[in-house]
Amino acid sequence: MDGAERLRGGPAEAVRDPRLFEEFYRRHVDAVMRFVARRVDDPHTATDLTAEIFLAVLDSAHSYRPGLGSETAWLYGIARNVVSSERRRVARETERDRRVSGRRLLEADDIVRIEDKLDAESPGRRALSALARLPEGERAVMELIAVDQLTVTEAAAALGIRQVTARVRLHRARKALREEADSRATDTREAPLVYVVRGEA
C-alpha cells in the first residue's frame, strides 16, 4: 500500500467517513469487479456480488492490518468469502427465478459495460475451471496468485495462512497442474491450464 492510500485512510477510517469511503470504493471497485468477473459470467450477479463485498467491508473494516498485506489482498479475502457464500447459496437453490425478482434492473448501457468486463475476464474463468480438481487449500492459493495476480505474501494474508503454508500449497498445485497439462498437451483447449502452470507468482 502506498503513502497516498495511507493518507486517505484505510478501511477502518473509511467506514467512519462517507467521503473517505467513497475514495476507498473508487480506489478498489475496478479490482473487485475484475475479481468477481473472473468467477461469474452474469452481469447482474457480478454487480450484486461487488456491492455485497463493499457492504461486507463495513462489517470487517476493523480486521484490516496493514502489516499483513495490501488493502487489495484484504479485499480479495473478503471477496472470496462473499463469492463462496453465493456459490453455496446457489447450490442450495433450485428456483433461480427468485434471484431475479426484486433485483434492480440494470440499464442497457450498464449491461453492455459489465458484459465487456465479463468477456475480458473469460480467460481467468477458464483458468479457474482448470483449477477445479485441486484440493481446496491449494486451489485457493493458486487462484489468488496465478489468476488474481497477488504475491505469495498477499495471498497468504487474504487466506489468513502463513507464507510458508502458501508456498507449499502453491508448489503442490503447480506440480499437479503441470502433470495434468503434460498428460493433455495435445489438446489445444488446455491452454488456460498451461497458462496457470507456467504463470509467474
Side-chain angles (χ1 to χ4, degrees), residues 130-139 142 172-174 176-177:
L131 302 178
R133 288 177 291 280
L134 292 174
E136 169 60 24
E138 294 171 15
R139 182 173 66 246
M142 195 65 165
R172 288 178 181 163
R174 283 183 166 160
L177 290 172

Side-chain angles (χ1 to χ4, degrees), residues 60-122:
S60 305
H62 65 280
S63 70
Y64 174 63
R65 301 290 179 268
L68 298 179
S70 67
E71 285 180 357
T72 301
W74 177 76
L75 270 170
Y76 279 6
I78 293 173
R80 273 194 89 254
N81 291 337
V82 169
V83 171
S84 295
S85 176
E86 172 66 5
R87 284 177 176 160
R88 289 190 298 272
R89 185 191 75 77
V90 170
R92 290 190 303 265
E93 295 290 336
T94 56
E95 298 179 16
R96 297 180 64 88
D97 290 345
R98 192 183 71 75
R99 294 181 59 229
V100 176
S101 64
R103 180 166 52 187
R104 180 182 72 84
L105 296 177
L106 295 173
E107 299 293 331
D109 288 347
D110 292 333
I111 291 176
V112 169
R113 178 177 52 80
I114 295 170
E115 283 177 341
D116 287 344
K117 288 187 178 184
L118 293 172
D119 288 344
E121 298 302 335
S122 63

Side-chain angles (χ1 to χ4, degrees), residues 9-24:
E13 291 179 55
V15 298
R16 292 191 295 264
D17 183 328
R19 183 184 57 80
L20 288 178
F21 189 77
E22 182 178 353
E23 285 184 14
F24 179 86

